[in-house]
Each structure stands twice: as C-alpha cells, then as structure tokens.
Amino acid sequence: MTLPKVFGVLALIQAGDAAACAFKAPPVVKAFDDLGVPHRIRWIFPPIKAASAVGLLAAGRYPVLGRLTTAMLTLYFVLAVGAHVRAHDKPVNAIPAAGFAATYAALTVKGPRANA
C-alpha cells in the first residue's frame, strides 16, 4: 500500500477531482449544493486538490511531504464526512469520503516508501 504506484493512482484521483471542481462538473456542483458549501468559498477546492496531487506524486522522493499530504487529506475527508452528517445527507453519500479518510489515515501511519 505504500508503493509509489499507489500514491500515483491517488494523485490521479485528486487531480481529476480538482479538474471536476475547477470546471464545475454537475455532480460536484450538486454535491456542494446538497452539503451547503457556500459559493464564495468553492474556488479554494481546485487548488487544494491540485496541491494534494502534487504532494502525493512527490511522496516517493520526499517522504515527509508525502506523509504531510496524507495527514492533511485525512483531515479533509474527515471534515467531508462531517459535512455529510451535518447536512443530514444519505449515509451512502458519505461512504467515499469515509473510505478516503481511512485510506489516507493508514498511509499517514505507515508513511510512503521512498524511491530507491
């Protein structure tokens, strides 16, 4: 799980999510609307997600940056689960956020494997 390829796949997911937020993909807009995310702060999500993708990609070369990135992503997804709960969203809608929170928490504990 700590292989650079795992971090690469997760970086691609984060980059795709950044693009979906930046280009206001309808499912993202609907999710933000359903969760009550104010329009005035939605601009911050694409740069945050893009930065997390860079941090994940750099994890093999800079393990401390990788661990910091996974720790911050853990916090982000825990807050996302909280947003689903606060909004009284269907529990099934919080499953992806909970899964990512658990994944990033495990990666934070274990830490990335440095490239040789």
Side-chain angles (χ1 to χ4, degrees):
M1 187 165 163
T2 60
L3 293 172
K5 287 181 183 180
V6 171
F7 283 81
V9 168
L10 292 170
L12 284 173
I13 293 169
Q14 287 300 112
D17 198 16
C21 288
F23 294 108
K24 297 180 174 102
V28 173
V29 172
K30 182 181 180 331
F32 282 162
D33 289 345
D34 290 349
L35 296 177
V37 177
H39 288 273
R40 71 181 187 285
I41 67 164
R42 293 182 187 186
W43 66 270
I44 195 67
F45 290 97
I48 287 172
K49 292 174 184 211
S52 71
V54 171
L56 291 169
L57 285 175
R61 187 169 183 121
Y62 303 102
V64 173
L65 177 59
R67 189 168 275 189
L68 175 63
T69 302
T70 58
M72 292 298 98
L73 282 165
T74 301
L75 175 61
Y76 174 87
F77 283 108
V78 166
L79 292 172
V81 170
H84 285 280
V85 171
R86 186 191 78 235
H88 304 288
D89 199 8
K90 292 181 248 176
V92 70
N93 291 341
I95 290 172
F100 278 120
T103 298
Y104 286 119
L107 288 172
T108 301
V109 169
K110 185 72 174 167
R113 182 182 300 173
N115 287 341

